[in-house]
Amino acid sequence: MKKSVFFGALTVAGLVAGAAAAGTVDDIKARGKLNCGVTTGLVGFAAPDANGEWNGFDVGVCRAVAAAVLGDPKAVEFVPTTGKTRFTALASGEIDMLARNTTWTFSRDVDLKFEFVGVNYYDGQGFMVPKELGVSSAKELDGATVCIQTGTTTELNLADFFRSNNISYEPVPIETNAEAQQQYLAGACDVYTTDASGLAATRATFENPGDHVLLPEIISKEPLGPLVRHGDNEWGDVVRWTLNALIAAEELGVTSANISEMSMGTDNPEINRMLGSEGNLGEQLGLSADWAKNAIMAGGNYGELFEKNIGESTPIGLARGLNAQWTNGGLIYSPPFR
C-alpha cells in the first residue's frame, strides 16, 4: 500500500549515505531494541490494540527480526509512518527497517537508495465501492469521486487506468488509511482505491462489511516487502535471511509447535543448518546459532503469520493465492540455507 512518489527524492537519497555508514546491527545491539517503521494503522498488517500493543502480519516480521538479532521479539519500537514520511524516516536513520505495505519499485531501489530484502506479500491495486452503487466493474466508474492516498504511485496507477479506459474521475486526497475510511463511509467519495489487501483489511473493520464490494479489476503489480537503506549489506543480509527463514520454515514443516524439538537435530540437513544444530550460518550473520529458531518462535513460520493475521479464518479473509508456497502454486520461495 501507499507507494510514494519521489517526495523529496534528492533529500532522501542524500540522507542515506550518512545513516548507513555505521553498522546497523551494532547500533541495534547497543540500543537494545529494533526501531521498525510500520503503517499508522491497518488491521491485520500493523495496528495497535486497545492496550497499545502492535499486532499484524508486518508487525510479525519486525518481531522476527528483533528476535533474530536480540533474542527478544518484544524488543521493538514501532514507529508509525505515512506514505509521505516513511522514506525520510528510513533514510535519516530514525528507523532501522521499514515493514509497512511498501511496493518494491525500480525508483525506490535505485534512485531513493533503498534495498528491498524480499517480498512478503504479492498484491495489486483494487477498488472498493458501496454495494448500493450498483457497480460491478471499475470500468463503470466514469465521473466517480475517488479517495486516494497522497504521495503514492497509487495515484499514477489510477490516472493510467481511467485514461486508458477513456473515463474520468474526481480525486479526493487523503493521507492515512484511517482518514480514507472516514471519508469513504461519510460518502465524501464513491470509491476507495489502494492495494487489494488493504481494501480487504479496511472493509473488515466496517460495521456492515457486506454492504461494500471489492471490484474484480486488479490494475497493477504490487510486490510488498521490508526494506533497509543502501550501504549496510550486513544488516540487509540479516533482515533478508530472517524473512527467508520464516518462508523456508513453512516449506520444511517447521512450526512454532515443533521447533523446539526440531532444533535438537533432524534427518534434514537444511533444517539443521537453518536452526543451528549444524554449521555456522548464525556466525556468518554476526548472530547467535539459534537466530532463525528465535525468529520463527517469535510468531510462527510464514504460513502461521499469514493465517493468524490476514488468512481466510480472520475477518480480513485473504486466500493465499500468489502468496502460497511455490510447492502449492504460489510465488513464495526461499533460496536454500546452505
Side-chain angles (χ1 to χ4, degrees), residues 18-323:
T24 306
V25 174
D26 292 339
D27 291 345
I28 293 169
K29 289 179 177 179
R31 189 192 308 135
K33 66 179 179 181
L34 168 72
N35 293 332
C36 197
V38 291
T39 182
T40 52
L42 182 63
V43 172
F45 286 90
D49 63 16
N51 298 318
E53 183 171 349
W54 285 82
N55 296 288
F57 186 62
D58 290 329
V59 165
V61 175
C62 298
R63 293 199 187 282
V65 174
V69 177
L70 299 169
D72 182 1
K74 293 188 177 297
V76 186
E77 180 76 26
F78 292 101
V79 181
T81 63
T82 68
K84 288 184 177 180
T85 65
R86 56 185 167 170
F87 294 139
T88 301
L90 180 59
S92 68
E94 178 186 355
I95 57 177
D96 304 308
M97 61 178 286
L98 185 62
R100 63 167 311 284
N101 309 74
T102 296
T103 304
W104 187 348
T105 70
F106 179 98
S107 59
R108 292 170 181 176
D109 194 321
V110 178
D111 190 46
L112 295 188
K113 310 289 185 201
F114 295 127
E115 181 176 359
F116 285 79
V117 301
V119 176
N120 72 335
Y121 194 92
Y122 288 94
D123 211 343
Q125 185 175 332
F127 300 89
M128 178 168 63
V129 299
K131 183 179 288 186
E132 65 180 17
L133 205 61
V135 172
S136 60
S137 168
K139 295 178 181 179
E140 300 171 15
L141 295 174
D142 191 19
T145 53
V146 183
C147 278
I148 186 166
Q149 295 190 42
T150 56
T152 71
T153 55
T154 304
E155 293 176 290
L156 305 179
N157 296 334
L158 181 68
D160 287 348
F161 176 80
F162 273 76
R163 184 170 61 248
S164 65
N165 285 282
N166 198 30
I167 54 178
S168 64
Y169 69 99
E170 180 182 342
V172 178
I174 45 90
E175 189 164 333
T176 67
N177 188 67
E179 183 185 354
Q181 178 176 324
Q182 181 182 28
Q183 294 284 72
Y184 172 78
L185 290 176
C189 54
D190 303 312
V191 187
Y192 180 30
T193 184
T194 188
D195 290 349
S197 65
L199 294 177
T202 299
R203 183 175 65 169
T205 67
F206 292 172
E207 186 174 346
N208 297 301
D211 291 345
H212 304 270
V213 177
L214 302 185
L215 298 179
E217 286 85 0
I218 298 295
I219 65 170
S220 67
K221 291 186 299 183
E222 309 294 339
L224 311 177
L227 57 153
V228 299
R229 294 177 291 275
H230 270 186
D232 190 341
N233 294 342
E234 289 77 11
W235 171 233
D237 288 343
V238 167
V239 182
R240 176 181 301 104
W241 284 98
T242 299
L243 176 59
N244 286 339
L246 302 181
I247 292 170
E250 181 186 20
E251 179 187 345
L252 296 169
V254 179
T255 71
S256 56
N258 66 23
I259 191 169
S260 293
E261 179 182 353
M262 284 196 164
S263 64
M264 302 298 290
T266 72
D267 58 4
N268 185 319
E270 182 158 24
I271 293 176
N272 297 342
R273 288 190 294 267
M274 182 173 70
L275 298 184
S277 63
E278 290 181 17
N280 66 339
L281 298 188
E283 180 183 341
Q284 292 177 40
L285 284 171
L287 304 178
S288 63
D290 59 357
W291 67 278
K293 174 186 175 183
N294 292 336
I296 298 161
M297 288 180 65
N301 64 34
Y302 178 89
E304 289 177 286
L305 281 174
F306 192 104
E307 293 307 321
K308 177 172 60 179
N309 292 292
I310 58 177
E312 292 182 291
S313 63
T314 71
I316 297 169
L318 294 174
R320 288 293 292 268
L322 293 177
N323 298 293

